[in-house]
Amino acid sequence: MNMRILVTGNMGYVGPVVVAHLRAVFPRAELIGYDSALFAAQLVSDEPIPERLLTAQIFGDIRDLGPEQLAGIDAVVHLSAISNDPMGTRFEVPTDEINYRASARLATLAAAAGVRSFVFASSCSVYGAADGAPRKESDEVQPLTAYARSKIATERALADLDAPDMTVTCLRFATACGMSPRLRLDLVLNDFVAAALTSGEINVLSDGTPWRPLIDVRDMARAIEWAIGRSPDHGGRVLAINTGADHQNYQVAELAEAVATAVPGATTSINHQAPPDKRSYRVDFGLYKAMAPDHQPTSSLTMSIDRLYRGLQAATTLTADFRQSDAMRLYTLERHMEAGRLNPLIRWTNASRQDDQ
């Protein structure tokens, strides 16, 4: 019997890499995507669209997903989210609706449909301002933003869910980085590489001291593969786990220097007078190392930078004003709204659907 896997949010930044990995490791699986297509057009090259690897693509808002989409599904990989702090701040109400309430509802429907494995893409940002020792799963969380609050609220809803037959894995991912067919440049390492290529200068807006754990999107996909197959005997029915590697905790200045070393002619500029950035945390990934020894991150910082460098050199969309482009997800949403295609709750309008006919 072939496994049937539903991937929500498959048309974002992480989704295409996850789908490609799952297709490689589960060649006979039925892979079904579910996405509202907010960022479908944000492809960085003329390569064939990532969705060609799916068995089926369903277009829909995660808030509207019904039980019929979960019939016969063995595993849900839940990536759908308003995916960073600036978007969460600008769209706080829909962030709560999509990231938390729709996620909790999805898990309830999945349990009722007999889904065996539910994988939730959470975030290490739930630790917020965390001085001192690297944060473990048992440590207190201090979410500072709407995005981080939505992630921990969903984790708690999943822990409280009455679903004795569904294994739930909340992957608290480090900060994502690396090349993807739908690249985001509103992520620290990706931004630095794009800046180095377009202007030759990496401007660090903070004083460079904040800590950021990183994980390449390829290694996020490996972690999701592990979580899909995780047995409740290995970590419990519900598990929240920091997902990354101890040696990939970096200070922002280190990241800038690494990019400057890799990109010929690039220099760095650090704002030593900047006020402290509260979003600073180191994370302990020891539990993930112990539980998933065969799915540890394999992409080094140098490898991630190199793939970004080569991918952006070949990109058809990279320009010097990339921070005012669709590579920044907030810009995409605002552009859709200005054109009347989206309403303030981040729903497609009737006018946009009519225009597309």
Side-chain angles (χ1 to χ4, degrees), residues 83-258:
S83 57
N84 67 10
D85 291 339
M87 284 194 289
T89 299
R90 172 70 173 80
F91 300 104
E92 192 158 348
V93 170
T95 293
D96 178 73
E97 289 180 354
I98 294 167
N99 292 18
Y100 163 46
R101 299 183 191 281
S103 298
R105 175 178 171 274
L106 172 64
T108 300
L109 292 174
V115 170
R116 175 185 59 79
S117 177
F118 190 95
V119 182
F120 172 55
S122 190
S123 169
C124 284
S125 67
V126 299
Y127 295 114
D131 295 330
R135 286 309 192 251
K136 297 182 178 181
E137 291 83 355
S138 56
D139 288 334
E140 180 183 4
V141 296
Q142 300 182 67
L144 298 176
T145 64
Y147 170 77
R149 289 192 294 272
S150 72
K151 291 298 186 180
I152 198 63
T154 300
E155 284 192 21
R156 289 167 176 164
L158 293 173
D160 291 340
L161 183 65
D162 182 16
D165 298 322
M166 186 169 75
T167 302
V168 176
T169 309
C170 302
L171 297 169
R172 288 183 180 173
F173 282 119
T175 300
C177 68
M179 195 61 200
S180 162
R182 287 196 177 88
L183 186 62
R184 282 174 55 191
L185 297 179
D186 49 12
L187 294 159
V188 59
L189 188 71
N190 300 5
D191 174 280
F192 286 173
V193 176
L197 270 169
T198 56
S199 70
E201 185 170 8
I202 304 160
N203 294 308
V204 180
L205 300 181
S206 72
D207 65 1
T209 62
W211 287 91
R212 293 286 187 278
L214 292 188
I215 185 169
D216 192 282
V217 283
R218 295 190 183 197
D219 291 322
M220 295 174 75
R222 288 165 52 77
I224 287 168
E225 175 203 343
W226 168 76
I228 288 172
R230 187 180 71 84
S231 166
D233 297 332
H234 190 58
R237 188 186 66 80
V238 180
L239 174 69
I241 187 166
N242 296 336
T243 309
D246 287 343
H247 67 274
Q248 291 184 334
N249 281 289
Y250 300 100
Q251 288 182 288
V252 173
E254 289 181 84
L255 299 177
E257 290 296 336

Side-chain angles (χ1 to χ4, degrees), residues 28-43:
R28 298 180 61 193
E30 289 188 47
L31 298 180
I32 301 160
Y34 187 97
D35 198 290
S36 61
L38 290 171
F39 309 111
Q42 272 65 76
L43 293 164

Side-chain angles (χ1 to χ4, degrees), residues 319-336:
T319 61
D321 63 347
F322 68 87
R323 293 191 183 94
Q324 283 76 49
S325 76
D326 283 325
M328 315 298 281
R329 294 302 193 246
L330 178 58
Y331 177 90
T332 303
L333 295 183
E334 292 179 335
R335 183 174 60 80
H336 282 320

